[in-house]
Amino acid sequence: MANIRPLNAELQKVAAELGEVPSRLADDLAALKEWIRQQPHLRANTDDQFLVAFLRGCKYSLERAKAKIDRYFTLKSKFPELFGSIDVDNPRVRELLHTGTWLYLPNPLNDNGPRIGIMRSGLYPVDKFSAEEVMHVAHALQEISLLEDDHAILQGVIFIGDFEKATMAHMMQMTPSLMKKMTVHSEKAVPLRPKAQHFINTIAGFEPIFNMVKPMMSAKQQKRLYVHGHKMDSLTKEIPLKYLPKEYGGENGSVEEIIAEWDKKLDQYRDYFKRSAEWGTDERLRPGKAIDFESLFGIDGSFRKLDVD
């Protein structure tokens, strides 16, 4: 029997639409575990709740789920400064969390829809923190969501990027190399499906970054990008005001409350992140063709498909 959380009726319906058959779930998970066991280069989390996220995110295609699991742990080992295990007791991690740069809001859209995440640029001192450190903390929150947020896994995630406090110094930290890594990780390794990305309070330095990142994304994801500028009424046509935080005039928690809740979550996942340090890949043991990381992620390299099937 599969050891996973029960879903409410609405989410169970969505899972069924993605191809989930409860009577077959244990066999599907067993097939993934056996495949992982047979990979000499791969050390992966084989907990049922973790693996079912990949099955659901890949619409129950075992081959797609295998590929994403491999990519997830490949990038974890290759770029530990972004995707590696995090030390929740590191004061810098907590300081970045407390800036409220990254937030996942408590209530999903329309109460049972996609999870809403907000990235508020410009809230951390650029002379103290790198963009890699910021993204590392964001990845830790994303990994927790991957483990416990059924709305994010089944309904997807809507992101809002707020650039009201951003400066050119913050924009300059978004290098082409970093953005390629983040984009390929999001599209090719993480089973949380981005449903839309909304950008508000954009500044002069936003457009070059946007024009750099957009071509890196799949055609499907490019169609899900919305730039609202300073027109909040344009955003709230897509996301009703009540589903935004209190600081934006909404009812979906306050920034202080949300940060406090995620502080507790980091404490709860302390042992998990220590355990996760054991997971990853050893490329020397990978069967078949080695991955050409330089052409995949080099600043001048082409943005090719990560082929680890």
Side-chain angles (χ1 to χ4, degrees), residues 1 9 11 17 37 47 76 80 95 101 105 112 124 158 182 188 192 235 249 272-273 282 295 304 306:
M1 184 176 178
L11 290 180
E17 292 170 353
R37 189 187 67 79
D47 292 349
K76 174 180 169 66
E95 186 174 346
T101 297
L105 307 188
N112 212 35
Y124 65 92
I158 294 172
M182 298 305 300
K188 302 295 185 181
L192 301 178
L235 173 68
Y272 168 84
F273 283 116
D282 184 342
S295 65
R304 303 175 188 172
L306 182 57

Side-chain angles (χ1 to χ4, degrees), residues 177-212:
S177 176
L178 175 61
M179 298 315 298
K180 282 187 178 183
K181 293 168 187 173
M182 298 305 300
T183 303
V184 93
H185 185 264
S186 175
E187 291 202 5
K188 302 295 185 181
V190 178
L192 301 178
R193 292 172 295 147
K195 304 298 285 189
Q197 296 186 52
H198 299 270
F199 302 98
I200 59 173
N201 298 320
T202 51
I203 64 172
F206 169 82
E207 188 172 352
I209 302 297
F210 182 80
N211 291 335
M212 173 185 71

Side-chain angles (χ1 to χ4, degrees), residues 35-43 281-282 285-287:
W35 173 80
I36 291 169
R37 189 187 67 79
Q38 293 176 357
Q39 306 310 304
H41 67 294
L42 179 61
R43 304 179 309 280
T281 60
D282 184 342
L285 302 177
R286 179 183 292 278

